[in-house]
Amino acid sequence: MSGEHKGGFLSTYVFSKDHKYIAKQFLWFGLIWLLIGGVMAMMIRWQLANPGEAFPLLGKLFFPRTGGVIDPDAYNMLFSMHGTIMIFLGLTPALIGAWGNWCIPLMIGAPDMIFPLLNTLSFWTVVIGGAVGAYSLFVPLGALEAGWTGYPTLSTTVGTPGSGETLWAIAVFIIGASSIMGGINYITTVVRLRAPGMTWGKLPLTIWGLFFTAVLNVLFLPVIGSAMLLLIFDRVYGTQFYVPATLTSGGGDPILYQHLFWIFGHPEVYILILPAWGIVSDLLSFFARKPAFGYRATVGAMLAVTVLSAVVYGHHMFTTGLSPMLGESFMLLTMIISVPGEILFFNWLHTIWKGSLRLNSAMLFSLGVIFVFGLGGLTGLFLATIATDIFLHDTYFVVGHFHLTMAASALFGAFAGIYFWVPKMYGRLMDERLGKLHFWCTIIPLTTVFCTMFVSGWSGMPRRYADPTSSPYVAELQYLNEITTIAAFILGAAQLIFAFNFIKSCFWGKKAPDNPWEVGTLDWIPAYPVPHGNFATTPTVVTGPHEFSHPALGPDRDWISQTEALPETEGKTA
Amino acid sequence: MTLSHSHSVRSFLGPVRAVIATVIAAASLAPGALAQDATRWGPKESASSFGWRFDDLFMLIVILTGVSFLIMMVMLLVPVFRDKARAGHKASFDHGRSLHDKRFTAIVSVIVFIVLDAWVLVVAMRDLDEGFWNVPGPGEAPNAVRVQVLAQQWAWNFRQPGVDNKFGTPDDILTLNELVVPASAEAEGNEDWFAGRPVVLNLSSKDVIHSLFLPEMRVKRDANPGAINRMWFTPIRPGDYAILCAELCGFAHYQMHGKLRVLSPADFDAWEAEASAMALAAYDENDAGAQWAWDWQE
């Protein structure tokens, strides 16, 4: 990157306003937090399979007071922070921050984001949020222990004294502000800075996914912000928004928080998954060498999901004492989401049907999204249906379901993005053999982990038990916990293959050609290193992003750049 | 109950050995564990009048989603094996935007909605209206066994009205982590939803949110501070069943379990009379912690 910038060290390497550098910052920031959250997951799994036994190797370092044993307080802290870190500090930056920044200007043919300073601010705000969250791990009485959902009254001073929980709420508030800044920037950039000819119908589907995510970010992050602000007031200033009259002189309501949290919380699932859907929709077409099947239907389905995501949140609250009429309405609305969901799957499967599939790492992870999101999406029906959700609510069935949908699918989308765009980002190819090894060593244990969780949950194992052998009913399921833990450790170890491949390839990998995947989107036009400002001359778009294997292209070539006119339409385009 | 094989993944000495050990353990442990007596696959048999509704609906959704998933996987794997890139092979050119494609998409969407969603929705609504959310209203179940539940960190307080059938009187039976109710064999398969003696609960909490989970009864309901929630079930077989807390409630959440003792009707009447008499004899009006009853919510 050096040389392109005019400016000092700080404005080049720290507070850069170049979207490409910020994308890299987001990516590395997210990956580091994914590693931290992943180590926490290993500790959680260790405790569940071996309750009361010291965590090997690192245990004495992290839990010196107990000689490496994870006590219930530490356990509650681990799964609470694991959730918060993975969602807000891991996946959000690595998926939305990194690919939003990288793809939007490059794929729409813009010189940069429309508000470069806001972009810099968005990244450094999430860093501050992360620092507050990290600091909360070291305060007296420990960090957040009320789950990543932070339900009052457990999350008020009634249940959790100490500053850890307050710092968590502040961190989420700050990170939310960062996402709002990013969202405003993404929306405005897509609306205002598309290259000439880049009509809405010619946008790559990646951009559509990121665009809808940005809309949801701008609409719903303020809701979690206000929920957190009220919680901070309750904790710090003694207000009683969430504390009922039976506990104090006030007259608050803990259920109010649940409404606020899930009005944000359900769209958050789609905030994480929509960019992955967009990336996958493009990559399946790119590597099947076939146009994306039903482009408009895919965009329409993503739009429908975006709208519906705002009106289904009640399905998180079926056991809270919700009015039956409200509950049944939420059940119906939730089930309606399966229609756009089905259209997406239908279009993806038709995109690869009769294609010419290049099964490289990026493609494998895209196909992996179909598999894991299929598993996760279909199991959602059990939880949307109140009569089955009553039993399954707050069991491991839910844990398996949301990890497959929002965690595994989003992570696979991020991995696909990394394998796909690193050649332009770092000018070097990822090691394909290691990439394929990484894929198989990820998807097999991952499926084992979360499908075993379905069995545990169906068998009645509640979530968030520090010692599952304590209750006889749950202790009978301990063998399932052991299978899950073994698979989880293999899954964790497999990510070291990725870490090695990523670092090795970024800095010492084989030099990449300008357009290694032979695709037509604008992001592959500038040569590495892409200069500040991206395009020497503003590209003019005349063709859609997925015109693969067009008959007019002849036998030797199966792709065409978005700036090139298709032979048969030559002369007709404006 | 303790299980000895929880030590089998203990010997992590180094990362390399760990990986080898886990692979070997994974291959050897799974079938061994499944064969053990103290293990279980699926929930314990339903012991309530409408517990079968969960079991049946769960299996229906397993079949519907299972078939959908298989179709998807076939459509995924066929091109992966058949349409791999190779010399001389060219992808077909198809945007999927012909009228035929649009119609096909619409038809599949309608079928998916009817088969996957509408079918399950109708069954679930019936189950809710006849079972789970059909809490007996005023006068609907005069024989009901009424229980007030006050959850706290980390225990379940149960209050039964005793022989005078009034809450907040000295003969109220107070139990901790153990709920005693009668079985109603006649409720099994009965078209009168409230046959026998349904157990109706009022739930609240002293401190944080808890959730009363009775897995063998197939019911769960949150106990919220500052509010009263209702739930019901009719046990059909005597026996000891699990009480679990399903909502994270702090340090000892995992230890907040208890026992649901379901007695035969005769045994229950005898127990109720004796427990109520003992409660009356031991009543202490200065014991502030025992004065928590509320007006019954129907």
Side-chain angles (χ1 to χ4, degrees):
Chain A
M1 292 303 300
S2 58
E4 279 78 49
H5 276 276
K6 289 195 176 79
F9 176 82
L10 271 183
S11 63
T12 309
Y13 294 107
V14 185
F15 300 111
S16 170
K17 289 187 208 159
D18 182 346
H19 74 99
K20 297 180 294 296
Y21 196 79
I22 297 172
K24 290 180 188 178
Q25 287 177 314
F26 266 117
L27 184 62
W28 283 90
F29 179 82
L31 289 174
I32 289 165
W33 279 106
L34 283 174
L35 178 69
I36 297 170
V39 171
M40 287 180 165
M42 295 300 114
M43 292 175 176
I44 293 166
R45 284 315 320 174
W46 174 265
Q47 168 69 7
L48 285 169
N50 309 277
E53 287 179 40
F55 187 77
L57 303 173
L58 299 169
K60 287 206 171 67
L61 180 68
F62 288 114
F63 313 105
R65 191 170 50 79
T66 53
V69 174
I70 301 167
D71 65 9
D73 267 334
Y75 180 81
N76 290 354
M77 194 183 87
L78 279 174
F79 69 69
S80 304
M81 290 306 284
H82 164 75
T84 308
I85 286 170
M86 285 306 208
I87 291 168
F88 292 110
L89 296 167
L91 284 172
T92 304
L95 187 65
I96 306 168
W99 302 127
N101 266 299
W102 183 263
C103 297
I104 290 178
L106 279 172
M107 283 185 132
I108 65 171
D112 204 314
M113 283 287 179
I114 196 157
F115 307 126
L117 180 62
L118 191 68
N119 211 9
T120 314
L121 206 56
S122 164
F123 175 70
W124 285 99
T125 308
V126 81
V127 171
I128 295 169
V132 174
Y135 174 65
S136 80
L137 291 165
F138 302 101
V139 297
L141 297 179
L144 169 78
E145 284 181 37
W148 87 274
T149 49
Y151 279 7
T153 48
L154 184 62
S155 61
T156 65
T157 43
V158 173
T160 42
S163 55
E165 182 96 27
T166 312
L167 289 168
W168 166 79
I170 294 170
V172 172
F173 186 88
I174 296 171
I175 296 164
S178 155
S179 289
I180 296 167
M181 290 183 222
I184 292 170
N185 218 345
Y186 292 4
I187 294 171
T188 320
T189 306
V190 173
V191 172
R192 301 287 300 155
L193 287 191
R194 280 170 292 129
M198 179 61 91
T199 55
W200 290 95
K202 288 194 175 69
L203 281 178
L205 290 162
T206 304
I207 302 302
W208 276 110
L210 288 160
F211 181 75
F212 289 132
T213 281
V215 171
L216 287 175
N217 264 333
V218 170
L219 286 177
F220 293 107
L221 264 302
V223 183
I224 186 80
S226 10
M228 288 301 145
L229 208 55
L230 298 185
L231 185 64
I232 294 166
F233 285 172
D234 271 12
R235 294 184 61 85
V236 177
Y237 303 119
T239 54
Q240 286 149 12
F241 292 108
Y242 302 135
V243 187
T246 47
L247 297 179
T248 55
S249 56
D253 184 359
I255 305 298
L256 168 67
Y257 176 90
Q258 293 189 27
H259 284 284
L260 291 174
F261 185 85
W262 290 117
I263 287 174
F264 149 80
H266 198 77
E268 173 67 18
V269 173
Y270 295 102
I271 287 171
L272 290 176
I273 195 67
L274 276 162
W277 284 352
I279 291 173
V280 165
S281 303
D282 271 343
L283 295 199
L284 288 174
S285 159
F286 292 170
F287 292 118
R289 317 305 290 171
K290 232 187 115 210
F293 189 93
Y295 175 97
R296 277 163 172 263
T298 301
V299 175
M302 286 201 270
L303 172 66
V305 166
T306 305
V307 173
L308 282 169
S309 75
V311 292
V312 299
Y313 77 90
H315 64 229
H316 296 267
M317 297 171 63
F318 285 151
T319 66
T320 52
L322 209 61
S323 129
M325 202 179 77
L326 206 55
E328 287 168 2
S329 313
F330 276 122
M331 169 162 66
L332 173 66
L333 286 164
T334 304
M335 284 178 169
I336 291 174
I337 284 202
S338 68
V339 175
E342 169 269 321
I343 291 175
L344 285 171
F345 280 107
F346 185 89
N347 287 346
W348 292 336
L349 293 168
H350 273 82
T351 300
I352 59 171
W353 193 263
K354 290 191 181 167
S356 175
L357 272 59
R358 299 183 178 176
L359 296 173
N360 50 36
S361 312
M363 180 61 160
L364 286 176
F365 275 101
S366 305
L367 294 168
V369 170
I370 302 184
F371 176 77
V372 292
F373 196 78
L375 271 178
L378 285 168
T379 48
L381 186 55
F382 294 85
L383 302 171
T385 308
I386 302 172
T388 42
D389 178 72
I390 287 173
F391 183 92
L392 299 171
H393 182 79
D394 266 323
T395 67
Y396 263 80
F397 198 94
V398 178
V399 181
H401 163 74
F402 74 71
H403 274 96
L404 281 170
T405 46
M406 74 188 288
S409 303
L411 195 62
F412 273 33
F415 279 141
I418 290 170
Y419 285 107
F420 184 71
W421 277 297
V422 154
K424 187 60 69 185
M425 215 176 205
Y426 286 95
R428 291 170 192 274
L429 293 167
M430 294 279 281
D431 185 324
E432 275 297 316
R433 278 173 61 195
L434 286 176
K436 286 174 186 167
L437 184 70
H438 171 223
F439 172 75
W440 289 110
C441 292
T442 299
I443 195 155
I444 294 168
L446 183 129
T447 311
T448 314
V449 166
F450 298 119
C451 288
T452 313
M453 284 186 184
F454 288 137
V455 179
S456 316
W458 169 54
S459 307
M461 179 174 160
R463 294 168 74 178
R464 297 167 166 175
Y465 271 23
D467 181 353
T469 60
S470 156
S471 141
Y473 188 90
V474 183
E476 293 169 1
L477 307 169
Q478 192 56 12
Y479 76 100
L480 292 170
N481 278 329
E482 287 165 11
I483 296 170
T484 309
T485 295
I486 291 164
F489 271 87
I490 298 172
L491 175 62
Q495 303 320 304
L496 299 176
I497 304 172
F498 168 76
F500 173 75
N501 188 3
F502 181 65
I503 293 169
K504 189 196 86 161
S505 302
C506 283
F507 299 111
W508 302 281
K510 226 169 73 183
K511 287 245 160 64
D514 280 348
N515 190 351
W517 314 118
E518 301 176 303
V519 295
T521 46
L522 303 180
D523 48 327
W524 297 97
I525 292 174
Y528 176 84
V530 184
H532 203 49
N534 296 343
F535 300 93
T537 51
T538 306
T540 304
V541 176
V542 289
T543 307
H546 308 117
E547 299 293 336
F548 290 97
S549 308
H550 195 288
L553 290 169
D556 303 328
R557 189 160 175 234
D558 64 356
W559 66 282
I560 180 167
S561 169
Q562 284 199 265
T563 55
E564 284 178 80
L566 281 162
E568 60 174 11
T569 56
E570 223 158 1
K572 272 189 265 172
T573 44
Chain B
M1 198 170 302
T2 56
L3 286 166
S4 57
H5 57 264
S6 65
H7 300 280
S8 52
V9 282
R10 187 187 213 172
S11 55
F12 275 68
L13 293 174
V16 180
R17 265 189 71 181
V19 172
I20 296 168
T22 47
V23 171
I24 294 168
S28 61
L29 182 104
L34 281 168
Q36 289 204 7
D37 290 340
T39 61
R40 176 158 55 81
W41 173 267
K44 278 188 180 169
E45 199 190 349
S46 157
S48 74
S49 63
F50 58 80
W52 62 271
R53 292 175 186 275
F54 166 76
D55 296 340
D56 283 13
L57 189 52
F58 187 90
M59 280 308 150
L60 174 69
I61 306 177
V62 166
I63 292 163
L64 293 177
T65 54
V67 170
S68 310
F69 188 68
L70 277 179
I71 295 171
M72 274 169 51
M73 284 307 108
V74 169
M75 285 187 65
L76 175 71
L77 291 174
V78 166
V80 163
F81 286 104
R82 188 191 62 190
D83 304 333
K84 260 190 222 170
R86 57 190 180 271
H89 173 73
K90 201 159 184 197
S92 73
F93 179 75
D94 178 12
H95 276 284
R97 56 187 173 208
S98 67
L99 188 63
H100 169 265
D101 291 325
K102 282 177 190 161
R103 274 198 196 134
F104 193 36
T105 310
I107 290 168
V108 173
S109 306
V110 171
I111 291 173
V112 164
F113 185 74
I114 291 171
V115 173
L116 271 183
D117 299 328
W119 185 358
V120 173
L121 185 79
V122 168
V123 178
M125 296 281 263
R126 182 204 69 186
D127 289 343
L128 290 175
D129 294 346
E130 296 177 358
F132 301 95
W133 279 359
N134 186 22
V135 188
E140 281 189 322
N143 288 330
V145 177
R146 299 182 300 160
V147 186
Q148 294 189 346
V149 185
L150 185 66
Q152 69 175 87
Q153 289 180 318
W154 291 278
W156 298 100
N157 299 285
F158 297 105
R159 174 182 291 266
Q160 281 162 284
V163 286
D164 71 351
N165 210 20
K166 284 200 186 81
F167 283 101
T169 54
D171 79 334
D172 282 9
I173 305 165
L174 283 114
T175 53
L176 188 70
N177 293 331
E178 185 175 281
L179 175 59
V180 184
V181 292
S184 308
E186 67 271 34
E188 190 174 6
N190 199 318
E191 285 194 15
D192 173 9
W193 319 128
F194 306 133
R197 301 196 67 188
V199 179
V200 183
L201 298 96
N202 274 188
L203 294 149
S204 192
S205 168
K206 241 186 219 184
D207 35 50
V208 304
I209 299 173
H210 304 269
S211 189
L212 184 68
F213 181 26
L214 308 173
E216 286 105 332
M217 306 296 141
R218 307 287 190 264
V219 289
K220 181 185 290 144
R221 194 68 149 170
D222 292 358
N224 299 319
I228 291 167
N229 259 343
R230 298 183 305 147
M231 76 189 253
W232 81 291
F233 58 93
T234 309
I236 51 176
R237 269 193 309 279
D240 286 351
Y241 302 102
I243 294 176
L244 300 170
C245 180
E247 184 66 63
L248 175 67
C249 57
F251 182 88
H253 168 51
Y254 66 105
Q255 286 178 325
M256 200 172 149
H257 51 82
K259 191 199 282 180
L260 174 66
R261 280 177 65 202
V262 179
L263 305 177
S264 70
D267 286 352
F268 176 77
D269 289 343
W271 172 85
E272 189 182 36
E274 190 190 345
S276 190
M278 279 168 66
L280 191 61
Y283 182 71
D284 175 3
E285 61 180 356
N286 297 319
D287 180 2
Q291 311 295 338
W292 52 268
W294 54 78
D295 292 337
W296 184 253
Q297 306 284 313
E298 283 189 298

